[in-house]
Structures are given as structure tokens and as C-alpha cells.
Amino acid sequence: MRKACSRLKFFSAVFFFPMRSLLGRIGLRYDLPSIANAYYRDAFHRIPVRDRAVILPHCLISEKCQARFSKDDGVLCVRCKKCNCGEVYSLCQERGWQFYITPSTGFTKRLVQRKGIRAAVGAACDFEIAKGVRSTPITFRGVRVKQSRVIPQVVLTDRYDCLKNDLDWGALKGIILDGIME
Ligand code: SF4
């Protein structure tokens, strides 16, 4: 019964997301990332850590970032401490997770396939989430990315800003730490 309720809540949250502005006007607001994270959390924890990744968007890196770009791995963070990405990279390495900084959604999808990622923590703004909901099949067993299926956890970025964005870094680290303590 609990599982059925959780599924219904998740399904409704995804289904009605494109109408969120309209629903907001009549006082119905909800947080899709929180609902999705709660729904997928157990499945996420069942994926071996080596197949989990943090995949961050390039909008989170410092404007002064000197990292090189690799066609295979995205932005190659050198942990210069000019932004918080390096700290998350270190945490991922400690815990055995993969870590990437990606320049685009298309790159992220190819990355997931190439690296055999089965569970991913991503960060996105409301605009990108809406785009993802429209263009990516979201199922009860994960998000379909080409031939693969990935179990997601999402942290909302502070705003819609491709150059100078931020997020709740504590929440992001919490997902990584929680994932290892099951
Ligand atoms: S910590 Fe990494 S991503 Fe951030 S500015 Fe330095 S090299 Fe770039």
C-alpha cells in the first residue's frame, strides 16, 4: 500500500509538472526533486558505489576555472579551490564514486553510456528539469538514457544561470554520505 502511494505521488508529480505555473496560481506547489529523490532513494542505494556518479553542470564552476576539457570526461577539475566542485570531487574519490563536470545534457547522456553509470546525482535548475521531463522518458525504475536506465538523485541549483550558479552543497554532500552509510 505504501509503495503504491509513493508511486502515485511520484507519477502525479511528474505528470503535472508541466502545469506547475497554473497549479501555483491556485496555491498548489510541490517540489519535484524532493519527491523524485524520496521515490528513487532505496533503488539508488542498491547500486554499487563504483557505478554511481556525481555529474555536475559547468554552470557551477568558477569563472576563473583553469581546468582543461576532455572529450571523454568533461571538465577535468584540478581542485584549485576556486569553487566547491573540487571538494565534491575529493569526496567522490574517497567514497569510490565517479565524478564529472559536464558541458551539456547531450554530453551527460553519452557519459552515462560510456562510463556504465547506473545511478547519478545531478544538479539542475527548474528550466533544465522541465526540459528533461519533456524530453527524457521517466519510468518507475529510473530515467531512460539511450539504451541505459539511470536511478537519479537531483539537487536544484539556486537559479537559472549558465555562468554563475550555486546550490546547496551540504545537501549534495549529504546524498553522497548517505549513500555510503546504508
Ligand atoms: S575547483 Fe575544479 S571546477 Fe572549481 S574552479 Fe577549480 S579546477 Fe575548476
Side-chain angles (χ1 to χ4, degrees):
M1 182 66 183
R2 211 169 131 203
K3 198 172 174 188
C5 287
S6 160
R7 274 185 171 219
L8 183 62
K9 186 175 175 186
F10 172 64
F11 175 79
S12 311
V14 173
F15 185 80
F16 289 110
F17 192 69
M19 291 161 248
R20 65 196 181 290
S21 307
L22 200 65
L23 294 174
R25 271 185 238 145
I26 56 167
L28 284 174
R29 289 188 182 81
Y30 62 89
D31 177 1
L32 180 59
S34 297
I35 293 171
N37 288 354
Y39 175 77
Y40 285 125
R41 191 162 295 130
D42 289 347
F44 188 94
H45 287 179
R46 284 196 290 273
I47 302 293
V49 287
R50 66 174 180 281
D51 297 333
R52 299 180 196 175
V54 169
I55 306 177
L56 297 179
H58 68 104
C59 62
L60 293 168
I61 67 177
S62 161
E63 287 173 296
K64 294 184 181 144
C65 180
Q66 302 278 326
R68 286 187 301 114
F69 177 77
S70 142
K71 281 186 187 171
D72 265 340
D73 297 313
V75 176
L76 301 173
C77 175
V78 290
R79 290 178 268 204
C80 71
K81 298 189 177 166
K82 288 190 182 117
C83 77
N84 290 303
C85 296
E87 213 181 304
V88 175
Y89 181 19
S90 295
L91 189 58
C92 285
Q93 281 208 318
E94 270 169 37
R95 307 289 174 176
W97 290 43
Q98 302 180 47
F99 173 85
Y100 303 100
I101 300 173
T102 172
S104 68
T105 308
F107 188 93
T108 306
K109 288 181 178 175
R110 291 189 291 278
L111 197 61
V112 162
Q113 283 220 302
R114 282 202 309 272
K115 306 291 180 181
I117 295 166
R118 295 169 59 207
V121 182
C125 62
D126 193 66
F127 175 78
E128 286 295 333
I129 291 175
K131 217 166 82 177
V133 167
R134 279 198 308 271
S135 64
T136 313
I138 299 172
T139 75
F140 289 125
R141 292 168 60 207
V143 174
R144 205 164 296 142
V145 180
K146 297 186 187 279
Q147 278 79 43
S148 322
R149 201 183 281 118
V150 183
I151 310 292
Q153 294 286 284
V154 180
V155 179
L156 200 59
T157 58
D158 284 358
R159 51 194 165 261
Y160 171 49
D161 185 336
C162 298
L163 290 178
K164 219 174 167 183
N165 218 332
D166 208 353
L167 51 68
D168 181 346
W169 295 94
L172 176 61
K173 287 182 207 162
I175 294 174
I176 304 168
L177 294 169
D178 185 42
I180 206 77
M181 284 159 63
E182 77 250 47

